Amino acid sequence: MTHPLAPKPNPCAQTLFLLVGEPQALAEPLRVLNGLAQQLASCRLAQLLHSWREQRPEAVLIQAPAEDAADAWQGLLDALRHLRELAAAEPLVLLLGQVTTARAEAFIQAGGDDLLPDAEEASLFRLRLSHHCSCLQRRQELVGYRALVAREEAVAQTVLASVVRDDLQQELSNLRWRLSPRALYNGDLILAAKSPMGKIYLLLGSFPGYGLAASIGVLPVAEIFYTMTAKGFGLVDILLEINQRLKALLPSEGFFAASLLEIDLEQGGGAIWNGGLSCMLLQRADGAAQRLGSQHTPLAILDNAQLGRGLEPFTLQQGDHLLLATGGRGQQPSEALPWPIALDGLAACLGPDLEQTLEQVSQHLRQRLGRDEISLLVLRMGARLARKPAGEREILRGGGSSTCWHYDILLDPDTLRNLDPRPMLTQLLVEVQGLQDHREQLYTLVAELFSNALEHGVLRLDSGLKSSPEGFAEYYQEREQRLEQVQQGFVRFSLDHQPSSDGGILSMEVEDSGPGFDYQNKGQGSLALDGLSGRGIGLIRKMAEDVVYFSPGNRVKITYPWTRNPGQAKG
């Protein structure tokens, strides 16, 4: 830190001066400047433009012509106008000497910056010139800062454009979002992706700060979100990985206010984790409204062991609207927005046309909040989507050479609580055997087999609870409670692969510690695929070649043949 009594640096020392005028008239200014400036050049008025192009001085000092030299004065004004056409605001142009008021006004109007006294008044001349050099330095610093900001904005724009995918918005007519026009500056982020099971994963969040500083966390968040969603990881796994990465990456004062959602359009339900965002509204078709407030601390503040993991379930019925919004700048507590007031009257803005809904909601919030840094996401629930039967799905070609292998895994209660084996097992099948194009089908099989074993075997849940949207939410609340309390039980996977002439045969055997079920009556039917419950067995039978249950119904083996000829495979 500079001492307040320390000598101040000479602001003119690093400035390149160009003195313009006749040599005899410049003698005194050159003498005064020799003790003040280190970089000096001079030329006649006729050479001004040429000298500027050659030397690019920061300051041009023009000696005023004699009062009766009208032609010289007009030549000075013409040269100054041409200089401004070439150099715009640069360089600093000063007039030396005493002139009439009319000529002073003409000089300023032609593009001059100021008039300096005669160089004979050395003290005043130095003082005024030093002041102008200080201003010039600050202007140059500002130009450099603006250039830096422009580069940062370009980087931030590239980062934002590379991570915000629009494919899901194109695929689903009932999902629309709009990033704030200032998202580049205020750290807003919206991500959307579909899991292998067909569920919609959404992330809406905001980093504090502006520009590049606010976009530092965008890349890792997007990478984790898209990669883990594609592999089938659950919402909690994704948010814990994002939190851990951001905690290590961001400075101590950094954070990420965010909401993560999982939505099942087939069953009409979902769950939300909200850490720091205030505007989450579930507007029912019948007019009732439910606010989904922040339940947790924003990400990157707490360690994973301290971070709240609870998900708030909700149901969606036809005509319901789910609205998420952020006011930018990471929702700084000091800039708390009156969301309850802003949400009043919002129901009138919602309708079946989501583009129109986005526009009307945006206008409503801008008026109520008095700011335009608002990012929005709107989902409208239509009729429940039926899962496409497996026989109608495109059968994709497997890759890699067919090999013989076997794999066993046993999951105890602690492992079941802390590990979701579905993505891991699917990834194992994809990487070991090269079945990348069968990822969706394999994940569905693994997920259904595991869910049945865990929920109905180890946890002994009744799937009848899921017969209604309200029961669906209650079912998953009960699932979380029992999973936290269970002390005994297991789920065992046994995977086996045998090569065939044009592909291979994958066998999966799953056993749980439960009492089993009446598989001879319930397990043999091809159950409907469009209900809220009871779809698992029917779905497995649609996708697998053979499904065999073993007494007492707590062990099942399926066979999934694949071939390099898509027309010959089932699945």
Side-chain angles (χ1 to χ4, degrees), residues 71-118:
D71 292 341
W73 179 254
Q74 187 59 49
L76 184 154
L77 296 179
D78 291 341
L80 180 54
R81 292 189 186 98
H82 290 158
L83 178 62
R84 286 305 185 209
E85 290 175 359
L86 293 173
E90 298 179 10
L92 176 69
V93 180
L94 305 173
L95 183 66
L96 304 180
Q98 300 293 336
V99 296
T100 65
T101 301
R103 285 190 172 183
E105 290 178 353
F107 175 76
I108 297 299
Q109 290 174 359
D113 293 296
D114 199 4
L115 290 81
L116 290 181
D118 287 327

Side-chain angles (χ1 to χ4, degrees), residues 266-268 315 317 384 456 461-476 530-535:
E266 296 177 18
Q267 299 195 14
T315 60
Q317 298 182 6
R384 246 189 14 248
H456 307 310
L461 288 164
D462 181 6
S463 62
L465 280 175
K466 295 190 289 183
S467 58
S468 68
E470 294 76 13
F472 182 82
E474 180 184 349
Y475 178 90
Y476 280 99
D530 57 356
L532 290 170
S533 65
R535 308 180 313 152

Side-chain angles (χ1 to χ4, degrees), residues 1-9:
M1 181 176 180
T2 304
H3 193 279
L5 298 180
K8 294 183 179 179

Side-chain angles (χ1 to χ4, degrees), residues 395-398 402 433 435 438 441-442 445 496-508 540-547 558-571:
I395 308 303
L396 303 171
R397 183 185 301 272
S402 184
Q433 189 51 60
L435 296 172
H438 289 263
Q441 293 96 319
L442 293 175
L445 287 171
D496 185 85
H497 184 267
Q498 299 295 327
S500 66
S501 58
D502 193 26
I505 300 174
L506 175 66
S507 299
M508 286 190 253
I540 292 171
R541 289 191 178 279
K542 282 284 186 181
M543 300 184 70
E545 180 80 5
D546 295 309
V547 180
I558 71 163
T559 302
Y560 181 84
W562 65 275
T563 175
R564 293 184 180 86
N565 184 349
Q568 298 179 9
K570 179 179 181 178

